[in-house]
Amino acid sequence: MFAAPVARIDPRAPATPPDRCRAGLRRLATALAMLALVLAPGAGAAGQAASPLRIAVASNFRGAIEDLAGRYTARTGVNVTISSAASGVLAAQILRGAPFDLFFAADRDRAQAVVNARRAAGSAVCYARGRLVLLGSDDLAAALADRELSIAIANPRSAPYGAAAEAVLQRPGFAGPDQRRVLRGGNVQQALQFFD
């Protein structure tokens, strides 16, 4: 999963190798606080209200960002607004001028597209490593091979985890999307709602 600050464009910013992943919520919280202070210059100044920090986040990471945003607001007094959707949807919005300060994507490609379009300051940086999860079965291989079982995944065209799930289903021995009923949610959270 990759993040890119999208509020300011600075072509002279040093590049961070995209393959270096900075995992851990403590590091992410620190990075979020530092970026937010840079992007919200009125923060902490006596008598001045800072602009809200606007975050676009892939739906699979929304809960973590909400937790961090609450801590950030408690510490700084700066409000945080969060928009959550599939990474592809958010990237398209940013590329069309949506006013976000930070973009937390679920894949490198969407974050890098924002950087390449000069909608970000610097390069995309890995903030966490995600995992694909199958819910509803104790026997993963049997469930993926059973053509009678339907499966819910995020839309592979806009959600990286949907594309990863579809790739797993196409492996030998598993019932692929053309061999079983596949429900496609707009993002990971919607696919999870199909399970509930």
Side-chain angles (χ1 to χ4, degrees):
M1 297 182 279
F2 287 76
V6 296
R8 298 190 181 184
I9 299 169
D10 182 3
R12 295 165 290 144
T16 302
D19 290 332
R20 294 184 62 194
C21 188
R22 296 186 174 106
L25 289 180
R26 177 173 284 152
R27 286 183 184 169
L28 179 59
T30 302
L32 175 62
M34 289 171 55
L35 283 170
L37 287 172
V38 169
L39 296 173
Q48 288 185 333
S51 298
L53 181 64
R54 300 161 302 193
I55 297 177
V57 61
S59 60
N60 65 308
F61 202 66
R62 183 181 177 103
I65 288 294
E66 286 174 339
D67 180 52
L68 293 170
R71 292 184 209 178
Y72 176 75
T73 298
R75 216 180 268 165
T76 66
V78 176
N79 289 325
V80 178
T81 57
I82 298 171
S83 295
S84 177
S87 294
V89 170
L90 293 170
Q93 291 174 356
I94 292 166
L95 294 173
R96 288 182 178 92
F100 294 113
D101 298 310
L102 297 170
F103 174 37
F104 290 89
D107 68 338
R108 177 184 316 165
D109 294 343
R110 291 340 188 296
Q112 195 59 51
V114 168
V115 169
N116 292 346
R118 298 181 50 85
R119 295 281 184 187
S123 61
V125 177
C126 180
Y127 63 90
R129 293 194 187 270
R131 287 191 177 171
L132 197 58
V133 175
L134 176 69
L135 297 176
S137 177
D138 292 330
D139 187 350
L140 178 65
L144 292 175
D146 190 344
R147 295 171 190 233
E148 299 300 315
L149 294 177
S150 61
I151 192 166
I153 65 173
N155 183 343
R157 292 181 7 186
S158 60
Y161 282 93
E166 195 170 72
V168 168
L169 291 175
Q170 293 173 354
R171 290 181 181 171
F174 295 160
D178 55 336
Q179 300 169 326
R180 69 164 71 223
R181 183 172 177 225
V182 177
L183 303 170
R184 290 178 177 84
N187 56 53
V188 170
Q189 289 302 318
Q190 190 176 41
L192 181 60
Q193 289 173 354
F194 292 147
F195 174 73
D196 292 339

